[in-house]
Every structure is written in structure tokens, then in C-alpha cells.
Amino acid sequence: MTVDRTFIGHETRYTLRDGAELRCVLAFDTGQDGSGPAAWKILLPSRLGAENLYATRSGPEPDAAGLTAWLTPVVGQGAAAELALAVDADPPHSAARQRK
């Protein structure tokens, strides 16, 4: 499994792939101007190739243990640990970092 990190606008995305297959996207969204509540999102692939929103959770701080516990029932222990490690190693951009 591999995790790719991308940063576009107000969102940091961690894309988990198993080979060429998309398993899950974990996104951290600070909102358009950074003034709203930050939120984590779990997006799962659909049969048509789109990403469907599965769950959201508020909270700006990436906590590896909390992310693992939240993700495990959705994607399984191994995939959850892989995503949490990627977030811990390369945290999402904050609204404050965007404005610099």
C-alpha cells in the first residue's frame, strides 16, 4: 500500500492505494478562508470511479491514535495505520500556513 499526499487550496488529501486500486482518501479541510472549523473527511471510491463522502469529523490536530481508531472500522487496521503514519509524518497544512 502507498499513501500520496497532495495539497490543493484549503484541502490536504492523503490517497491510499493498493497497487493501482484506490482504497480510501483521507482529507483535511480548513475551509475556504480558514475561519471555519477544520474537518477530517473519509472518502471511499464508488464503482463509477467517483469518491463518495463516508464520514466527517471536526478537529484540527492530526492525532495518529485517534485517526487510526476512527479509520479502522472503515478501511481495516493495516490501511488505517498506514494513513495515520502518513499524516503523522507529513501533517496537513493549517489555515495559518496557507496565508504565509
Side-chain angles (χ1 to χ4, degrees), residues 7 10-12 26-42 55-63 67 70 92-96 98-99:
F7 179 69
H10 53 87
E11 188 174 81
T12 304
L26 177 64
F28 181 74
D29 191 338
T30 59
Q32 291 289 34
D33 61 2
S35 63
W40 290 96
K41 301 174 188 177
I42 299 173
T56 62
R57 175 176 120 169
S58 295
E61 294 301 318
D63 171 62
L67 285 174
W70 184 51
H93 286 256
S94 67
Q98 288 180 32
R99 288 194 271 271

PDB file of all heavy atoms in Angstrom, residues 7 10-12 26-42 55-63 67 70 92-96 98-99:
ATOM      1  N   PHE A   7      -1.810  18.763  -1.768  1.00  0.00           N
ATOM      2  CA  PHE A   7      -2.371  19.948  -1.137  1.00  0.00           C
ATOM      3  C   PHE A   7      -2.948  20.826  -2.229  1.00  0.00           C
ATOM      4  O   PHE A   7      -2.219  21.283  -3.106  1.00  0.00           O
ATOM      5  CB  PHE A   7      -1.284  20.688  -0.351  1.00  0.00           C
ATOM      6  CG  PHE A   7      -1.781  21.924   0.308  1.00  0.00           C
ATOM      7  CD1 PHE A   7      -2.655  21.860   1.372  1.00  0.00           C
ATOM      8  CD2 PHE A   7      -1.376  23.171  -0.136  1.00  0.00           C
ATOM      9  CE1 PHE A   7      -3.126  23.008   1.992  1.00  0.00           C
ATOM     10  CE2 PHE A   7      -1.828  24.325   0.469  1.00  0.00           C
ATOM     11  CZ  PHE A   7      -2.709  24.244   1.528  1.00  0.00           C
ATOM     12  N   HIS A  10      -7.608  24.674   0.052  1.00  0.00           N
ATOM     13  CA  HIS A  10      -7.806  24.573   1.501  1.00  0.00           C
ATOM     14  C   HIS A  10      -7.847  23.130   1.984  1.00  0.00           C
ATOM     15  O   HIS A  10      -8.206  22.865   3.118  1.00  0.00           O
ATOM     16  CB  HIS A  10      -9.104  25.291   1.898  1.00  0.00           C
ATOM     17  CG  HIS A  10     -10.291  24.823   1.109  1.00  0.00           C
ATOM     18  ND1 HIS A  10     -11.046  23.750   1.477  1.00  0.00           N
ATOM     19  CD2 HIS A  10     -10.821  25.285  -0.045  1.00  0.00           C
ATOM     20  CE1 HIS A  10     -12.005  23.563   0.590  1.00  0.00           C
ATOM     21  NE2 HIS A  10     -11.887  24.488  -0.345  1.00  0.00           N
ATOM     22  N   GLU A  11      -7.472  22.191   1.124  1.00  0.00           N
ATOM     23  CA  GLU A  11      -7.587  20.785   1.486  1.00  0.00           C
ATOM     24  C   GLU A  11      -6.269  20.040   1.305  1.00  0.00           C
ATOM     25  O   GLU A  11      -5.598  20.192   0.293  1.00  0.00           O
ATOM     26  CB  GLU A  11      -8.672  20.139   0.629  1.00  0.00           C
ATOM     27  CG  GLU A  11      -9.014  18.741   1.033  1.00  0.00           C
ATOM     28  CD  GLU A  11     -10.201  18.208   0.249  1.00  0.00           C
ATOM     29  OE1 GLU A  11      -9.994  17.773  -0.895  1.00  0.00           O
ATOM     30  OE2 GLU A  11     -11.314  18.239   0.781  1.00  0.00           O
ATOM     31  N   THR A  12      -5.922  19.244   2.305  1.00  0.00           N
ATOM     32  CA  THR A  12      -4.797  18.321   2.218  1.00  0.00           C
ATOM     33  C   THR A  12      -5.390  16.925   2.101  1.00  0.00           C
ATOM     34  O   THR A  12      -6.232  16.540   2.906  1.00  0.00           O
ATOM     35  CB  THR A  12      -3.904  18.410   3.466  1.00  0.00           C
ATOM     36  OG1 THR A  12      -3.471  19.760   3.631  1.00  0.00           O
ATOM     37  CG2 THR A  12      -2.697  17.502   3.348  1.00  0.00           C
ATOM     38  N   LEU A  26      -8.240  10.222   2.711  1.00  0.00           N
ATOM     39  CA  LEU A  26      -8.422  10.927   3.976  1.00  0.00           C
ATOM     40  C   LEU A  26      -8.100  12.380   3.684  1.00  0.00           C
ATOM     41  O   LEU A  26      -6.998  12.694   3.226  1.00  0.00           O
ATOM     42  CB  LEU A  26      -7.487  10.372   5.047  1.00  0.00           C
ATOM     43  CG  LEU A  26      -7.524  11.063   6.402  1.00  0.00           C
ATOM     44  CD1 LEU A  26      -8.889  10.902   7.061  1.00  0.00           C
ATOM     45  CD2 LEU A  26      -6.442  10.492   7.313  1.00  0.00           C
ATOM     46  N   ALA A  27      -9.065  13.264   3.889  1.00  0.00           N
ATOM     47  CA  ALA A  27      -8.873  14.676   3.562  1.00  0.00           C
ATOM     48  C   ALA A  27      -9.002  15.526   4.816  1.00  0.00           C
ATOM     49  O   ALA A  27      -9.826  15.246   5.690  1.00  0.00           O
ATOM     50  CB  ALA A  27      -9.902  15.120   2.526  1.00  0.00           C
ATOM     51  N   PHE A  28      -8.172  16.560   4.889  1.00  0.00           N
ATOM     52  CA  PHE A  28      -8.253  17.544   5.956  1.00  0.00           C
ATOM     53  C   PHE A  28      -8.591  18.872   5.308  1.00  0.00           C
ATOM     54  O   PHE A  28      -7.858  19.362   4.455  1.00  0.00           O
ATOM     55  CB  PHE A  28      -6.918  17.640   6.708  1.00  0.00           C
ATOM     56  CG  PHE A  28      -6.958  18.622   7.842  1.00  0.00           C
ATOM     57  CD1 PHE A  28      -7.624  18.316   9.011  1.00  0.00           C
ATOM     58  CD2 PHE A  28      -6.337  19.853   7.728  1.00  0.00           C
ATOM     59  CE1 PHE A  28      -7.660  19.224  10.065  1.00  0.00           C
ATOM     60  CE2 PHE A  28      -6.360  20.759   8.763  1.00  0.00           C
ATOM     61  CZ  PHE A  28      -7.030  20.449   9.940  1.00  0.00           C
ATOM     62  N   ASP A  29      -9.719  19.441   5.693  1.00  0.00           N
ATOM     63  CA  ASP A  29     -10.239  20.658   5.067  1.00  0.00           C
ATOM     64  C   ASP A  29     -10.282  21.786   6.090  1.00  0.00           C
ATOM     65  O   ASP A  29     -10.924  21.657   7.129  1.00  0.00           O
ATOM     66  CB  ASP A  29     -11.640  20.371   4.530  1.00  0.00           C
ATOM     67  CG  ASP A  29     -12.178  21.458   3.630  1.00  0.00           C
ATOM     68  OD1 ASP A  29     -11.705  22.609   3.722  1.00  0.00           O
ATOM     69  OD2 ASP A  29     -13.078  21.160   2.838  1.00  0.00           O
ATOM     70  N   THR A  30      -9.596  22.887   5.787  1.00  0.00           N
ATOM     71  CA  THR A  30      -9.591  24.042   6.701  1.00  0.00           C
ATOM     72  C   THR A  30     -10.664  25.058   6.347  1.00  0.00           C
ATOM     73  O   THR A  30     -10.792  26.075   7.007  1.00  0.00           O
ATOM     74  CB  THR A  30      -8.225  24.757   6.684  1.00  0.00           C
ATOM     75  OG1 THR A  30      -7.949  25.193   5.360  1.00  0.00           O
ATOM     76  CG2 THR A  30      -7.129  23.849   7.188  1.00  0.00           C
ATOM     77  N   GLY A  31     -11.438  24.801   5.308  1.00  0.00           N
ATOM     78  CA  GLY A  31     -12.458  25.742   4.871  1.00  0.00           C
ATOM     79  C   GLY A  31     -11.868  26.760   3.918  1.00  0.00           C
ATOM     80  O   GLY A  31     -10.659  26.904   3.813  1.00  0.00           O
ATOM     81  N   GLN A  32     -12.715  27.465   3.212  1.00  0.00           N
ATOM     82  CA  GLN A  32     -12.266  28.394   2.181  1.00  0.00           C
ATOM     83  C   GLN A  32     -11.269  29.425   2.684  1.00  0.00           C
ATOM     84  O   GLN A  32     -10.256  29.668   2.083  1.00  0.00           O
ATOM     85  CB  GLN A  32     -13.468  29.116   1.560  1.00  0.00           C
ATOM     86  CG  GLN A  32     -14.338  28.214   0.726  1.00  0.00           C
ATOM     87  CD  GLN A  32     -13.686  27.798  -0.572  1.00  0.00           C
ATOM     88  OE1 GLN A  32     -12.484  27.615  -0.688  1.00  0.00           O
ATOM     89  NE2 GLN A  32     -14.509  27.618  -1.578  1.00  0.00           N
ATOM     90  N   ASP A  33     -11.570  30.084   3.798  1.00  0.00           N
ATOM     91  CA  ASP A  33     -10.685  31.145   4.291  1.00  0.00           C
ATOM     92  C   ASP A  33      -9.995  30.776   5.597  1.00  0.00           C
ATOM     93  O   ASP A  33      -9.318  31.593   6.193  1.00  0.00           O
ATOM     94  CB  ASP A  33     -11.450  32.450   4.449  1.00  0.00           C
ATOM     95  CG  ASP A  33     -12.593  32.353   5.445  1.00  0.00           C
ATOM     96  OD1 ASP A  33     -12.776  31.269   6.051  1.00  0.00           O
ATOM     97  OD2 ASP A  33     -13.310  33.349   5.622  1.00  0.00           O
ATOM     98  N   GLY A  34     -10.170  29.564   6.052  1.00  0.00           N
ATOM     99  CA  GLY A  34      -9.530  29.124   7.285  1.00  0.00           C
ATOM    100  C   GLY A  34     -10.242  29.565   8.543  1.00  0.00           C
ATOM    101  O   GLY A  34      -9.793  29.279   9.643  1.00  0.00           O
ATOM    102  N   SER A  35     -11.374  30.254   8.400  1.00  0.00           N
ATOM    103  CA  SER A  35     -12.067  30.750   9.586  1.00  0.00           C
ATOM    104  C   SER A  35     -13.089  29.758  10.133  1.00  0.00           C
ATOM    105  O   SER A  35     -13.504  29.868  11.274  1.00  0.00           O
ATOM    106  CB  SER A  35     -12.773  32.077   9.275  1.00  0.00           C
ATOM    107  OG  SER A  35     -13.764  31.870   8.288  1.00  0.00           O
ATOM    108  N   GLY A  36     -13.487  28.810   9.340  1.00  0.00           N
ATOM    109  CA  GLY A  36     -14.460  27.821   9.785  1.00  0.00           C
ATOM    110  C   GLY A  36     -13.790  26.683  10.528  1.00  0.00           C
ATOM    111  O   GLY A  36     -12.563  26.637  10.646  1.00  0.00           O
ATOM    112  N   PRO A  37     -14.587  25.757  11.037  1.00  0.00           N
ATOM    113  CA  PRO A  37     -13.995  24.609  11.739  1.00  0.00           C
ATOM    114  C   PRO A  37     -13.279  23.678  10.767  1.00  0.00           C
ATOM    115  O   PRO A  37     -13.781  23.411   9.676  1.00  0.00           O
ATOM    116  CB  PRO A  37     -15.200  23.917  12.371  1.00  0.00           C
ATOM    117  CG  PRO A  37     -16.361  24.340  11.540  1.00  0.00           C
ATOM    118  CD  PRO A  37     -16.035  25.708  11.010  1.00  0.00           C
ATOM    119  N   ALA A  38     -12.114  23.242  11.151  1.00  0.00           N
ATOM    120  CA  ALA A  38     -11.377  22.272  10.340  1.00  0.00           C
ATOM    121  C   ALA A  38     -12.068  20.919  10.462  1.00  0.00           C
ATOM    122  O   ALA A  38     -12.654  20.598  11.490  1.00  0.00           O
ATOM    123  CB  ALA A  38      -9.939  22.181  10.820  1.00  0.00           C
ATOM    124  N   ALA A  39     -11.996  20.124   9.401  1.00  0.00           N
ATOM    125  CA  ALA A  39     -12.668  18.829   9.417  1.00  0.00           C
ATOM    126  C   ALA A  39     -11.868  17.784   8.660  1.00  0.00           C
ATOM    127  O   ALA A  39     -11.247  18.075   7.640  1.00  0.00           O
ATOM    128  CB  ALA A  39     -14.058  18.957   8.783  1.00  0.00           C
ATOM    129  N   TRP A  40     -11.879  16.579   9.194  1.00  0.00           N
ATOM    130  CA  TRP A  40     -11.346  15.407   8.514  1.00  0.00           C
ATOM    131  C   TRP A  40     -12.490  14.760   7.759  1.00  0.00           C
ATOM    132  O   TRP A  40     -13.627  14.737   8.224  1.00  0.00           O
ATOM    133  CB  TRP A  40     -10.795  14.407   9.534  1.00  0.00           C
ATOM    134  CG  TRP A  40      -9.555  14.862  10.207  1.00  0.00           C
ATOM    135  CD1 TRP A  40      -9.460  15.483  11.416  1.00  0.00           C
ATOM    136  CD2 TRP A  40      -8.234  14.735   9.715  1.00  0.00           C
ATOM    137  NE1 TRP A  40      -8.152  15.745  11.700  1.00  0.00           N
ATOM    138  CE2 TRP A  40      -7.370  15.305  10.677  1.00  0.00           C
ATOM    139  CE3 TRP A  40      -7.678  14.210   8.550  1.00  0.00           C
ATOM    140  CZ2 TRP A  40      -6.000  15.352  10.515  1.00  0.00           C
ATOM    141  CZ3 TRP A  40      -6.306  14.248   8.392  1.00  0.00           C
ATOM    142  CH2 TRP A  40      -5.489  14.812   9.366  1.00  0.00           C
ATOM    143  N   LYS A  41     -12.200  14.192   6.594  1.00  0.00           N
ATOM    144  CA  LYS A  41     -13.209  13.503   5.789  1.00  0.00           C
ATOM    145  C   LYS A  41     -12.646  12.168   5.321  1.00  0.00           C
ATOM    146  O   LYS A  41     -11.482  12.085   4.949  1.00  0.00           O
ATOM    147  CB  LYS A  41     -13.568  14.317   4.542  1.00  0.00           C
ATOM    148  CG  LYS A  41     -14.114  15.685   4.821  1.00  0.00           C
ATOM    149  CD  LYS A  41     -14.295  16.424   3.516  1.00  0.00           C
ATOM    150  CE  LYS A  41     -14.657  17.866   3.749  1.00  0.00           C
ATOM    151  NZ  LYS A  41     -14.758  18.599   2.472  1.00  0.00           N
ATOM    152  N   ILE A  42     -13.484  11.153   5.347  1.00  0.00           N
ATOM    153  CA  ILE A  42     -13.141   9.866   4.750  1.00  0.00           C
ATOM    154  C   ILE A  42     -13.940   9.772   3.455  1.00  0.00           C
ATOM    155  O   ILE A  42     -15.171   9.889   3.472  1.00  0.00           O
ATOM    156  CB  ILE A  42     -13.514   8.677   5.651  1.00  0.00           C
ATOM    157  CG1 ILE A  42     -12.771   8.750   6.988  1.00  0.00           C
ATOM    158  CG2 ILE A  42     -13.206   7.358   4.933  1.00  0.00           C
ATOM    159  CD1 ILE A  42     -13.230   7.693   7.989  1.00  0.00           C
ATOM    160  N   ALA A  55     -17.631   9.744   5.898  1.00  0.00           N
ATOM    161  CA  ALA A  55     -17.755  10.277   7.254  1.00  0.00           C
ATOM    162  C   ALA A  55     -16.943  11.553   7.378  1.00  0.00           C
ATOM    163  O   ALA A  55     -15.995  11.781   6.632  1.00  0.00           O
ATOM    164  CB  ALA A  55     -17.265   9.251   8.277  1.00  0.00           C
ATOM    165  N   THR A  56     -17.313  12.388   8.360  1.00  0.00           N
ATOM    166  CA  THR A  56     -16.542  13.585   8.678  1.00  0.00           C
ATOM    167  C   THR A  56     -16.352  13.659  10.180  1.00  0.00           C
ATOM    168  O   THR A  56     -17.120  13.080  10.952  1.00  0.00           O
ATOM    169  CB  THR A  56     -17.232  14.891   8.205  1.00  0.00           C
ATOM    170  OG1 THR A  56     -18.482  15.016   8.878  1.00  0.00           O
ATOM    171  CG2 THR A  56     -17.435  14.898   6.717  1.00  0.00           C
ATOM    172  N   ARG A  57     -15.325  14.395  10.569  1.00  0.00           N
ATOM    173  CA  ARG A  57     -15.020  14.570  11.990  1.00  0.00           C
ATOM    174  C   ARG A  57     -14.308  15.905  12.139  1.00  0.00           C
ATOM    175  O   ARG A  57     -13.354  16.188  11.418  1.00  0.00           O
ATOM    176  CB  ARG A  57     -14.119  13.428  12.443  1.00  0.00           C
ATOM    177  CG  ARG A  57     -13.617  13.517  13.848  1.00  0.00           C
ATOM    178  CD  ARG A  57     -12.833  12.280  14.170  1.00  0.00           C
ATOM    179  NE  ARG A  57     -11.470  12.670  14.509  1.00  0.00           N
ATOM    180  CZ  ARG A  57     -10.584  11.867  15.025  1.00  0.00           C
ATOM    181  NH1 ARG A  57     -10.866  10.610  15.210  1.00  0.00           N
ATOM    182  NH2 ARG A  57      -9.395  12.295  15.319  1.00  0.00           N
ATOM    183  N   SER A  58     -14.769  16.733  13.059  1.00  0.00           N
ATOM    184  CA  SER A  58     -14.128  18.020  13.305  1.00  0.00           C
ATOM    185  C   SER A  58     -12.879  17.841  14.150  1.00  0.00           C
ATOM    186  O   SER A  58     -12.792  16.926  14.957  1.00  0.00           O
ATOM    187  CB  SER A  58     -15.082  18.958  14.025  1.00  0.00           C
ATOM    188  OG  SER A  58     -16.172  19.264  13.197  1.00  0.00           O
ATOM    189  N   GLY A  59     -11.938  18.730  13.949  1.00  0.00           N
ATOM    190  CA  GLY A  59     -10.730  18.697  14.765  1.00  0.00           C
ATOM    191  C   GLY A  59      -9.507  19.018  13.952  1.00  0.00           C
ATOM    192  O   GLY A  59      -9.221  18.329  12.988  1.00  0.00           O
ATOM    193  N   PRO A  60      -8.797  20.057  14.318  1.00  0.00           N
ATOM    194  CA  PRO A  60      -7.651  20.486  13.521  1.00  0.00           C
ATOM    195  C   PRO A  60      -6.369  19.689  13.729  1.00  0.00           C
ATOM    196  O   PRO A  60      -5.530  19.658  12.859  1.00  0.00           O
ATOM    197  CB  PRO A  60      -7.438  21.927  13.973  1.00  0.00           C
ATOM    198  CG  PRO A  60      -7.942  21.942  15.371  1.00  0.00           C
ATOM    199  CD  PRO A  60      -9.088  20.964  15.393  1.00  0.00           C
ATOM    200  N   GLU A  61      -6.201  19.048  14.862  1.00  0.00           N
ATOM    201  CA  GLU A  61      -4.932  18.388  15.156  1.00  0.00           C
ATOM    202  C   GLU A  61      -4.905  16.943  14.678  1.00  0.00           C
ATOM    203  O   GLU A  61      -5.796  16.168  15.000  1.00  0.00           O
ATOM    204  CB  GLU A  61      -4.645  18.422  16.657  1.00  0.00           C
ATOM    205  CG  GLU A  61      -4.420  19.821  17.189  1.00  0.00           C
ATOM    206  CD  GLU A  61      -3.259  20.526  16.508  1.00  0.00           C
ATOM    207  OE1 GLU A  61      -2.221  19.891  16.282  1.00  0.00           O
ATOM    208  OE2 GLU A  61      -3.406  21.710  16.201  1.00  0.00           O
ATOM    209  N   PRO A  62      -3.887  16.577  13.890  1.00  0.00           N
ATOM    210  CA  PRO A  62      -3.770  15.177  13.479  1.00  0.00           C
ATOM    211  C   PRO A  62      -3.247  14.334  14.631  1.00  0.00           C
ATOM    212  O   PRO A  62      -2.130  14.518  15.101  1.00  0.00           O
ATOM    213  CB  PRO A  62      -2.765  15.231  12.324  1.00  0.00           C
ATOM    214  CG  PRO A  62      -1.973  16.462  12.577  1.00  0.00           C
ATOM    215  CD  PRO A  62      -2.865  17.420  13.304  1.00  0.00           C
ATOM    216  N   ASP A  63      -4.058  13.460  15.138  1.00  0.00           N
ATOM    217  CA  ASP A  63      -3.692  12.573  16.228  1.00  0.00           C
ATOM    218  C   ASP A  63      -3.682  11.152  15.673  1.00  0.00           C
ATOM    219  O   ASP A  63      -4.733  10.633  15.290  1.00  0.00           O
ATOM    220  CB  ASP A  63      -4.718  12.725  17.360  1.00  0.00           C
ATOM    221  CG  ASP A  63      -4.544  11.691  18.434  1.00  0.00           C
ATOM    222  OD1 ASP A  63      -3.480  11.672  19.065  1.00  0.00           O
ATOM    223  OD2 ASP A  63      -5.483  10.887  18.623  1.00  0.00           O
ATOM    224  N   LEU A  67      -6.948   8.982  14.726  1.00  0.00           N
ATOM    225  CA  LEU A  67      -7.229   8.703  13.318  1.00  0.00           C
ATOM    226  C   LEU A  67      -7.289   7.200  13.054  1.00  0.00           C
ATOM    227  O   LEU A  67      -8.166   6.724  12.335  1.00  0.00           O
ATOM    228  CB  LEU A  67      -6.175   9.343  12.416  1.00  0.00           C
ATOM    229  CG  LEU A  67      -6.268  10.850  12.228  1.00  0.00           C
ATOM    230  CD1 LEU A  67      -5.070  11.351  11.418  1.00  0.00           C
ATOM    231  CD2 LEU A  67      -7.560  11.245  11.565  1.00  0.00           C
ATOM    232  N   TRP A  70     -10.559   5.833  14.345  1.00  0.00           N
ATOM    233  CA  TRP A  70     -11.683   6.285  13.530  1.00  0.00           C
ATOM    234  C   TRP A  70     -11.714   5.575  12.171  1.00  0.00           C
ATOM    235  O   TRP A  70     -12.775   5.214  11.660  1.00  0.00           O
ATOM    236  CB  TRP A  70     -11.567   7.793  13.352  1.00  0.00           C
ATOM    237  CG  TRP A  70     -12.676   8.463  12.619  1.00  0.00           C
ATOM    238  CD1 TRP A  70     -14.030   8.340  12.869  1.00  0.00           C
ATOM    239  CD2 TRP A  70     -12.555   9.366  11.526  1.00  0.00           C
ATOM    240  NE1 TRP A  70     -14.734   9.135  11.994  1.00  0.00           N
ATOM    241  CE2 TRP A  70     -13.859   9.775  11.153  1.00  0.00           C
ATOM    242  CE3 TRP A  70     -11.473   9.887  10.830  1.00  0.00           C
ATOM    243  CZ2 TRP A  70     -14.103  10.668  10.124  1.00  0.00           C
ATOM    244  CZ3 TRP A  70     -11.716  10.791   9.803  1.00  0.00           C
ATOM    245  CH2 TRP A  70     -13.015  11.169   9.458  1.00  0.00           C
ATOM    246  N   PRO A  92      -1.108  17.852   7.755  1.00  0.00           N
ATOM    247  CA  PRO A  92      -1.762  18.734   6.787  1.00  0.00           C
ATOM    248  C   PRO A  92      -1.396  20.188   7.025  1.00  0.00           C
ATOM    249  O   PRO A  92      -1.015  20.567   8.131  1.00  0.00           O
ATOM    250  CB  PRO A  92      -3.258  18.507   7.041  1.00  0.00           C
ATOM    251  CG  PRO A  92      -3.333  17.997   8.424  1.00  0.00           C
ATOM    252  CD  PRO A  92      -2.058  17.247   8.671  1.00  0.00           C
ATOM    253  N   HIS A  93      -1.540  20.974   5.969  1.00  0.00           N
ATOM    254  CA  HIS A  93      -1.332  22.411   6.085  1.00  0.00           C
ATOM    255  C   HIS A  93      -2.428  22.998   6.961  1.00  0.00           C
ATOM    256  O   HIS A  93      -3.574  22.595   6.874  1.00  0.00           O
ATOM    257  CB  HIS A  93      -1.399  23.072   4.707  1.00  0.00           C
ATOM    258  CG  HIS A  93      -0.200  22.810   3.871  1.00  0.00           C
ATOM    259  ND1 HIS A  93       0.760  23.743   3.660  1.00  0.00           N
ATOM    260  CD2 HIS A  93       0.186  21.718   3.177  1.00  0.00           C
ATOM    261  CE1 HIS A  93       1.698  23.249   2.880  1.00  0.00           C
ATOM    262  NE2 HIS A  93       1.370  22.016   2.572  1.00  0.00           N
ATOM    263  N   SER A  94      -2.088  23.962   7.775  1.00  0.00           N
ATOM    264  CA  SER A  94      -3.084  24.656   8.578  1.00  0.00           C
ATOM    265  C   SER A  94      -3.481  25.930   7.847  1.00  0.00           C
ATOM    266  O   SER A  94      -2.821  26.373   6.926  1.00  0.00           O
ATOM    267  CB  SER A  94      -2.511  25.004   9.945  1.00  0.00           C
ATOM    268  OG  SER A  94      -1.482  25.971   9.799  1.00  0.00           O
ATOM    269  N   ALA A  95      -4.566  26.545   8.275  1.00  0.00           N
ATOM    270  CA  ALA A  95      -5.016  27.810   7.676  1.00  0.00           C
ATOM    271  C   ALA A  95      -3.938  28.879   7.834  1.00  0.00           C
ATOM    272  O   ALA A  95      -3.706  29.682   6.943  1.00  0.00           O
ATOM    273  CB  ALA A  95      -6.317  28.252   8.316  1.00  0.00           C
ATOM    274  N   ALA A  96      -3.245  28.877   8.949  1.00  0.00           N
ATOM    275  CA  ALA A  96      -2.191  29.875   9.191  1.00  0.00           C
ATOM    276  C   ALA A  96      -1.037  29.709   8.200  1.00  0.00           C
ATOM    277  O   ALA A  96      -0.495  30.683   7.704  1.00  0.00           O
ATOM    278  CB  ALA A  96      -1.678  29.759  10.624  1.00  0.00           C
ATOM    279  N   GLN A  98      -1.285  28.527   5.197  1.00  0.00           N
ATOM    280  CA  GLN A  98      -1.755  28.878   3.864  1.00  0.00           C
ATOM    281  C   GLN A  98      -1.571  30.366   3.594  1.00  0.00           C
ATOM    282  O   GLN A  98      -1.291  30.765   2.493  1.00  0.00           O
ATOM    283  CB  GLN A  98      -3.227  28.558   3.710  1.00  0.00           C
ATOM    284  CG  GLN A  98      -3.524  27.104   3.627  1.00  0.00           C
ATOM    285  CD  GLN A  98      -5.001  26.875   3.470  1.00  0.00           C
ATOM    286  OE1 GLN A  98      -5.705  27.683   2.874  1.00  0.00           O
ATOM    287  NE2 GLN A  98      -5.499  25.792   4.011  1.00  0.00           N
ATOM    288  N   ARG A  99      -1.786  31.207   4.591  1.00  0.00           N
ATOM    289  CA  ARG A  99      -1.775  32.651   4.393  1.00  0.00           C
ATOM    290  C   ARG A  99      -0.379  33.219   4.274  1.00  0.00           C
ATOM    291  O   ARG A  99      -0.196  34.357   3.923  1.00  0.00           O
ATOM    292  CB  ARG A  99      -2.526  33.324   5.542  1.00  0.00           C
ATOM    293  CG  ARG A  99      -4.021  33.103   5.467  1.00  0.00           C
ATOM    294  CD  ARG A  99      -4.734  34.037   6.396  1.00  0.00           C
ATOM    295  NE  ARG A  99      -4.915  33.520   7.717  1.00  0.00           N
ATOM    296  CZ  ARG A  99      -5.943  32.804   8.115  1.00  0.00           C
ATOM    297  NH1 ARG A  99      -6.885  32.472   7.260  1.00  0.00           N
ATOM    298  NH2 ARG A  99      -6.050  32.391   9.357  1.00  0.00           N
TER     299      ARG A  99
END
